Short mmCIF file of all heavy atoms in Angstrom, two decimals:
data_model
loop_
_atom_site.label_atom_id
_atom_site.label_comp_id
_atom_site.label_asym_id
_atom_site.label_seq_id
_atom_site.Cartn_x
_atom_site.Cartn_y
_atom_site.Cartn_z
N GLY O 17 12.46 -1.15 1.87
CA GLY O 17 13.84 -1.17 2.31
C GLY O 17 14.44 -2.54 2.25
O GLY O 17 13.89 -3.46 1.63
N LEU O 18 15.58 -2.69 2.90
CA LEU O 18 16.30 -3.95 2.96
C LEU O 18 16.07 -4.60 4.32
O LEU O 18 16.22 -3.95 5.36
CB LEU O 18 17.80 -3.72 2.74
CG LEU O 18 18.72 -4.92 2.89
CD1 LEU O 18 18.42 -5.97 1.83
CD2 LEU O 18 20.17 -4.47 2.82
N VAL O 19 15.72 -5.87 4.31
CA VAL O 19 15.45 -6.58 5.54
C VAL O 19 15.96 -8.02 5.42
O VAL O 19 16.01 -8.58 4.32
CB VAL O 19 13.93 -6.56 5.86
CG1 VAL O 19 13.14 -7.32 4.80
CG2 VAL O 19 13.65 -7.10 7.24
N GLN O 20 16.35 -8.59 6.54
CA GLN O 20 16.78 -9.98 6.58
C GLN O 20 15.58 -10.92 6.48
O GLN O 20 14.47 -10.57 6.89
CB GLN O 20 17.53 -10.27 7.88
CG GLN O 20 18.86 -9.58 8.03
CD GLN O 20 19.99 -10.38 7.44
OE1 GLN O 20 20.08 -10.57 6.22
NE2 GLN O 20 20.86 -10.87 8.30
N ALA O 21 15.81 -12.09 5.93
CA ALA O 21 14.75 -13.10 5.89
C ALA O 21 14.20 -13.34 7.29
O ALA O 21 14.96 -13.45 8.26
CB ALA O 21 15.28 -14.40 5.30
N GLY O 22 12.89 -13.42 7.39
CA GLY O 22 12.23 -13.57 8.67
C GLY O 22 11.84 -12.26 9.32
O GLY O 22 11.10 -12.26 10.31
N GLY O 23 12.31 -11.16 8.78
CA GLY O 23 12.01 -9.86 9.32
C GLY O 23 10.69 -9.30 8.84
O GLY O 23 9.93 -9.97 8.13
N SER O 24 10.42 -8.05 9.21
CA SER O 24 9.15 -7.41 8.90
C SER O 24 9.34 -6.02 8.32
O SER O 24 10.33 -5.34 8.61
CB SER O 24 8.28 -7.30 10.16
OG SER O 24 7.97 -8.56 10.70
N LEU O 25 8.39 -5.61 7.50
CA LEU O 25 8.30 -4.26 6.99
C LEU O 25 6.83 -3.86 6.95
O LEU O 25 5.96 -4.71 6.78
CB LEU O 25 8.89 -4.13 5.59
CG LEU O 25 10.40 -4.15 5.42
CD1 LEU O 25 10.75 -4.18 3.93
CD2 LEU O 25 11.03 -2.93 6.08
N ARG O 26 6.58 -2.57 7.07
CA ARG O 26 5.23 -2.04 6.92
C ARG O 26 5.22 -0.99 5.83
O ARG O 26 5.86 0.06 5.97
CB ARG O 26 4.74 -1.43 8.23
CG ARG O 26 3.25 -1.04 8.20
CD ARG O 26 2.91 -0.15 9.37
NE ARG O 26 1.47 0.01 9.55
CZ ARG O 26 0.91 1.01 10.21
NH1 ARG O 26 1.66 1.95 10.75
NH2 ARG O 26 -0.40 1.08 10.33
N LEU O 27 4.51 -1.27 4.76
CA LEU O 27 4.38 -0.32 3.66
C LEU O 27 3.15 0.55 3.87
O LEU O 27 2.13 0.09 4.38
CB LEU O 27 4.25 -1.05 2.33
CG LEU O 27 5.35 -2.06 1.98
CD1 LEU O 27 5.11 -2.60 0.57
CD2 LEU O 27 6.73 -1.44 2.11
N SER O 28 3.26 1.80 3.47
CA SER O 28 2.15 2.73 3.53
C SER O 28 1.89 3.31 2.15
O SER O 28 2.83 3.50 1.37
CB SER O 28 2.43 3.87 4.51
OG SER O 28 2.60 3.39 5.82
N CYS O 29 0.64 3.60 1.87
CA CYS O 29 0.25 4.25 0.62
C CYS O 29 -0.66 5.40 0.97
O CYS O 29 -1.80 5.20 1.40
CB CYS O 29 -0.45 3.25 -0.30
SG CYS O 29 -1.11 3.97 -1.82
N ALA O 30 -0.16 6.61 0.80
CA ALA O 30 -0.91 7.81 1.11
C ALA O 30 -1.63 8.31 -0.14
O ALA O 30 -1.01 8.43 -1.20
CB ALA O 30 0.01 8.89 1.65
N ALA O 31 -2.91 8.59 -0.01
CA ALA O 31 -3.73 9.03 -1.14
C ALA O 31 -4.15 10.48 -0.97
O ALA O 31 -4.47 10.92 0.13
CB ALA O 31 -4.97 8.15 -1.26
N SER O 32 -4.15 11.19 -2.06
CA SER O 32 -4.61 12.58 -2.07
C SER O 32 -6.11 12.64 -2.30
O SER O 32 -6.74 11.66 -2.69
CB SER O 32 -3.88 13.37 -3.14
OG SER O 32 -4.22 12.90 -4.44
N GLY O 33 -6.68 13.81 -2.06
CA GLY O 33 -8.09 14.02 -2.33
C GLY O 33 -9.00 13.58 -1.20
O GLY O 33 -8.56 13.04 -0.19
N ARG O 34 -10.28 13.77 -1.43
CA ARG O 34 -11.28 13.44 -0.41
C ARG O 34 -12.18 12.28 -0.81
O ARG O 34 -13.20 12.05 -0.16
CB ARG O 34 -12.13 14.68 -0.11
CG ARG O 34 -12.90 15.23 -1.30
CD ARG O 34 -13.71 16.45 -0.90
NE ARG O 34 -12.86 17.59 -0.56
CZ ARG O 34 -13.33 18.76 -0.14
NH1 ARG O 34 -14.63 18.96 -0.02
NH2 ARG O 34 -12.48 19.75 0.14
N THR O 35 -11.83 11.55 -1.85
CA THR O 35 -12.63 10.44 -2.35
C THR O 35 -11.98 9.08 -2.12
O THR O 35 -12.37 8.10 -2.75
CB THR O 35 -12.93 10.61 -3.85
OG1 THR O 35 -11.72 10.65 -4.59
CG2 THR O 35 -13.72 11.88 -4.09
N PHE O 36 -11.01 9.01 -1.22
CA PHE O 36 -10.28 7.77 -0.99
C PHE O 36 -11.21 6.61 -0.65
O PHE O 36 -11.02 5.49 -1.13
CB PHE O 36 -9.25 7.97 0.12
CG PHE O 36 -8.53 6.71 0.52
CD1 PHE O 36 -7.54 6.17 -0.29
CD2 PHE O 36 -8.83 6.07 1.71
CE1 PHE O 36 -6.87 5.02 0.08
CE2 PHE O 36 -8.16 4.93 2.09
CZ PHE O 36 -7.18 4.40 1.27
N SER O 37 -12.21 6.87 0.17
CA SER O 37 -13.09 5.80 0.62
C SER O 37 -13.95 5.22 -0.51
O SER O 37 -14.57 4.18 -0.32
CB SER O 37 -14.00 6.30 1.74
OG SER O 37 -14.83 7.37 1.30
N SER O 38 -13.98 5.87 -1.67
CA SER O 38 -14.75 5.38 -2.81
C SER O 38 -14.03 4.29 -3.59
O SER O 38 -14.63 3.66 -4.46
CB SER O 38 -15.09 6.53 -3.75
OG SER O 38 -15.89 7.51 -3.11
N TYR O 39 -12.75 4.08 -3.32
CA TYR O 39 -11.93 3.19 -4.12
C TYR O 39 -11.65 1.87 -3.43
O TYR O 39 -11.42 1.80 -2.22
CB TYR O 39 -10.59 3.86 -4.46
CG TYR O 39 -10.72 5.04 -5.38
CD1 TYR O 39 -10.77 6.33 -4.87
CD2 TYR O 39 -10.77 4.86 -6.75
CE1 TYR O 39 -10.89 7.41 -5.72
CE2 TYR O 39 -10.89 5.94 -7.60
CZ TYR O 39 -10.94 7.22 -7.08
OH TYR O 39 -11.05 8.29 -7.93
N TYR O 40 -11.66 0.82 -4.24
CA TYR O 40 -11.04 -0.43 -3.85
C TYR O 40 -9.53 -0.24 -3.99
O TYR O 40 -9.05 0.40 -4.93
CB TYR O 40 -11.49 -1.58 -4.75
CG TYR O 40 -12.97 -1.87 -4.67
CD1 TYR O 40 -13.89 -1.14 -5.42
CD2 TYR O 40 -13.45 -2.88 -3.85
CE1 TYR O 40 -15.24 -1.41 -5.35
CE2 TYR O 40 -14.80 -3.16 -3.78
CZ TYR O 40 -15.69 -2.42 -4.53
OH TYR O 40 -17.04 -2.69 -4.46
N MET O 41 -8.77 -0.82 -3.08
CA MET O 41 -7.33 -0.64 -3.07
C MET O 41 -6.62 -1.99 -3.20
O MET O 41 -7.12 -3.01 -2.73
CB MET O 41 -6.86 0.06 -1.80
CG MET O 41 -7.48 1.43 -1.58
SD MET O 41 -7.05 2.62 -2.89
CE MET O 41 -5.26 2.71 -2.67
N GLY O 42 -5.46 -1.95 -3.81
CA GLY O 42 -4.67 -3.17 -3.95
C GLY O 42 -3.19 -2.91 -3.84
O GLY O 42 -2.72 -1.80 -4.07
N TRP O 43 -2.48 -3.95 -3.45
CA TRP O 43 -1.02 -3.96 -3.48
C TRP O 43 -0.57 -4.97 -4.52
O TRP O 43 -1.01 -6.13 -4.50
CB TRP O 43 -0.41 -4.32 -2.12
CG TRP O 43 -0.48 -3.23 -1.10
CD1 TRP O 43 -1.39 -3.08 -0.11
CD2 TRP O 43 0.44 -2.13 -0.97
NE1 TRP O 43 -1.11 -1.97 0.64
CE2 TRP O 43 -0.01 -1.37 0.14
CE3 TRP O 43 1.57 -1.73 -1.66
CZ2 TRP O 43 0.65 -0.22 0.56
CZ3 TRP O 43 2.22 -0.59 -1.25
CH2 TRP O 43 1.77 0.16 -0.16
N PHE O 44 0.29 -4.54 -5.41
CA PHE O 44 0.88 -5.38 -6.43
C PHE O 44 2.39 -5.40 -6.25
O PHE O 44 2.96 -4.51 -5.62
CB PHE O 44 0.53 -4.87 -7.83
CG PHE O 44 -0.93 -4.97 -8.18
CD1 PHE O 44 -1.85 -4.10 -7.62
CD2 PHE O 44 -1.36 -5.92 -9.07
CE1 PHE O 44 -3.19 -4.18 -7.95
CE2 PHE O 44 -2.70 -6.02 -9.42
CZ PHE O 44 -3.62 -5.15 -8.85
N ARG O 45 3.04 -6.39 -6.83
CA ARG O 45 4.49 -6.42 -6.79
C ARG O 45 5.04 -6.95 -8.11
O ARG O 45 4.39 -7.72 -8.81
CB ARG O 45 5.01 -7.26 -5.62
CG ARG O 45 4.72 -8.75 -5.71
CD ARG O 45 5.19 -9.45 -4.45
NE ARG O 45 4.94 -10.88 -4.49
CZ ARG O 45 5.17 -11.70 -3.48
NH1 ARG O 45 5.64 -11.22 -2.32
NH2 ARG O 45 4.92 -12.99 -3.60
N GLN O 46 6.24 -6.51 -8.43
CA GLN O 46 6.89 -6.94 -9.65
C GLN O 46 8.37 -7.16 -9.38
O GLN O 46 9.09 -6.23 -9.03
CB GLN O 46 6.70 -5.91 -10.76
CG GLN O 46 7.22 -6.37 -12.11
CD GLN O 46 6.73 -5.49 -13.24
OE1 GLN O 46 6.39 -4.33 -13.03
NE2 GLN O 46 6.70 -6.04 -14.44
#
């Protein structure tokens, strides 16, 4: 979303399936 400088946001990434714990996870930005 849109936030002022100095503010906060919390991003979530929901995964399907039952093998989530098998994966390394990363956040990228562009």
Side-chain angles (χ1 to χ4, degrees):
L18 174 65
V19 65
Q20 293 271 68
S24 298
L25 285 173
R26 188 194 193 202
L27 306 184
S28 298
C29 175
S32 65
R34 61 180 67 182
T35 60
F36 175 75
S37 62
S38 298
Y39 293 96
Y40 297 83
M41 302 297 297
W43 285 98
F44 293 74
R45 67 184 181 185
Q46 187 167 23

